[in-house]
Amino acid sequence: AEDDSHWQPQVFSPPPMARDESIRVCVRCTPGRSQAPSVKLSGRTLELTRPKTTLTKKFDFHQELCPPSSGHVVDGFLSPAIRSAVSAGEHVAAMSFGAPKTGKTTTMGEATRTAVSDVFAAVEGQHFADRMVTVSALMSAITPPAQSHMTGRQVCHEVLLDALLPHGGDAAYRGGLHVREHPRTGFFVEGLTTVCVASEAEALEYVQHAMTNFELEKQRCGGGGGAPLRVHTLVTFKVWRRKADGSEVVSEVQLLDLAGWQRAGGSTGGTSKAASSAEKALKGKVGAAPGAAVFEDLVIKAIMRVCDSLEQKMSHIPYRDSKLTRLLCNALGGRGSCLCALHVGLDSFEETEAMLQFGKRVSAIRNSVSPNSINYGALQAR
């Protein structure tokens, strides 16, 4: 028998304690037409009043509500949380959702540029043996309806495109990138361009290039032919930091700008038809103009299902219903923190109420946030 008197059992350090945290929601209200419903902010409570009536509904989001300014949303809500998460080695996602022409794209553009400064400020303030920062950007395009060979129905498809590469024309929508799953690291986009940046200026250069491609793609929306109907954008920063003992701390920052939902059929507020269109909009039904064909936005519909399943604490969460929801699994009910900037357009009472109800459901989702630390020595010993 071998002499094992010198053998000592391998001791693994316990994982860091996770904290229970709800998704933080910030509401930004944009004034609408003259007969729009009125909104009153009172601390953490938002009061919505129907025009020409005394009907009032109150919504409590458990967070301070920001004034209607993109600068307040970024500097007072998104930026501090992103810097804190990167410093702690955690995953954080910021998503902008709401009606069109409410400033959500402007808010997320400012947040993306500010996130570059926040990431490098958090990294430079710490002492590690080695570090690396990467940038990637992708677009989730919803293609025009096409007849399915299996069912014969008109269906839309979600296609992922690399935003750091030159535009490939309509042929790019025939394939797109695929989301794969690694047994240890989770979901990732196969073939997505990931650039290692050494400075803040270099990162801003790639971010600006991606945002230019975002705008070009959004301008093509609804142009007919093979042009997409809607485009959702996602910018991701990853930070690897290696300690002296060989363990790594990995932080990930995701900035998601969801395309604004629109009323199906272009109805106006104040009637039951508006309430019906609002309900359809929040379920992913989108119509660009009166009389236009209504199609399903697969991404928004999948996010709604994921949020509803998490709120109801169901055993199965349908992350695989969309490619974007797979990539957002850490932010929605996972081990990362999530920030939602909800942009509400005060065009009708029913639609505004539906959007605020969605924000209230999102704020009820709980995440178990913990640092992402990998000890390769312990993994090999196991």
Side-chain angles (χ1 to χ4, degrees), residues 83-358:
R83 182 174 300 191
S84 175
V86 174
S87 300
E90 299 173 352
H91 175 96
V92 60
M95 55 186 295
S96 178
F97 179 66
K101 299 180 180 180
T102 54
K104 62 180 189 58
T105 300
T106 302
T107 299
M108 192 50 60
E110 295 180 8
T112 304
R113 286 185 287 267
T114 306
V116 177
S117 303
D118 295 334
V119 167
F120 278 90
V123 170
E124 292 174 357
Q126 298 176 339
H127 300 283
F128 285 90
D130 194 10
R131 69 181 186 186
M132 181 176 64
V133 180
T134 63
V135 180
S136 62
L138 59 85
M139 297 176 284
S140 173
I142 307 300
T143 62
Q147 185 174 5
S148 172
H149 297 290
M150 298 181 62
T151 63
R153 299 175 56 188
Q154 296 288 325
V155 295
C156 299
H157 295 281
E158 178 191 5
V159 180
L160 293 185
L161 303 176
D162 196 332
L164 293 181
L165 295 180
H167 183 262
D170 296 341
Y173 301 104
R174 299 174 185 173
L177 303 174
H178 298 280
V179 177
R180 309 297 185 189
E181 185 176 8
H182 191 274
R184 183 170 295 169
T185 59
F187 292 106
F188 68 97
V189 182
E190 185 180 32
L192 180 65
T193 302
T194 303
V195 182
C196 180
V197 292
S199 64
E200 181 179 339
E202 185 180 3
L204 282 173
E205 182 180 352
Y206 283 105
V207 167
Q208 188 60 42
H209 176 69
M211 295 178 68
T212 301
N213 287 339
F214 291 162
E215 291 300 322
L216 292 176
E217 203 64 30
K218 290 178 181 179
Q219 292 175 6
R220 300 182 68 250
C221 289
L229 296 174
R230 292 159 68 78
V231 174
H232 311 281
T233 64
L234 177 65
V235 178
T236 304
F237 300 95
K238 275 193 175 182
V239 182
W240 281 270
R241 287 159 291 185
R242 182 175 299 171
K243 298 181 180 179
D245 59 357
S247 61
E248 288 188 359
V249 178
V250 183
S251 303
E252 186 175 16
V253 180
Q254 293 178 314
L255 298 118
L256 173 66
D257 182 18
L258 293 170
W261 60 268
Q262 297 172 325
R263 290 174 290 174
S267 60
T268 57
T271 63
S272 59
K273 186 177 181 181
S276 176
S277 64
E279 187 69 21
K280 289 182 179 180
L282 288 180
K283 291 184 178 180
K285 302 284 187 178
V286 178
V294 178
F295 67 93
E296 290 185 342
D297 189 326
L298 306 179
V299 173
I300 292 182
K301 188 176 181 179
I303 290 178
M304 297 294 177
R305 283 198 295 264
V306 169
C307 292
D308 290 342
S309 300
L310 289 171
E311 184 197 12
Q312 299 172 12
K313 299 181 180 180
M314 300 179 65
S315 58
H316 171 69
I317 310 300
Y319 290 114
R320 296 179 181 271
D321 287 359
S322 167
K323 297 178 181 179
L324 270 188
T325 51
R326 299 180 197 180
L327 301 177
L328 295 172
C329 61
N330 278 329
L332 300 175
R335 57 179 300 181
S337 57
C338 183
L339 311 167
C340 180
L342 189 65
H343 291 68
V344 178
L346 302 179
D347 290 330
S348 73
F349 180 85
E350 289 81 6
E351 291 189 2
T352 304
E353 179 189 6
M355 287 296 299
L356 293 176
Q357 288 285 3
F358 169 71

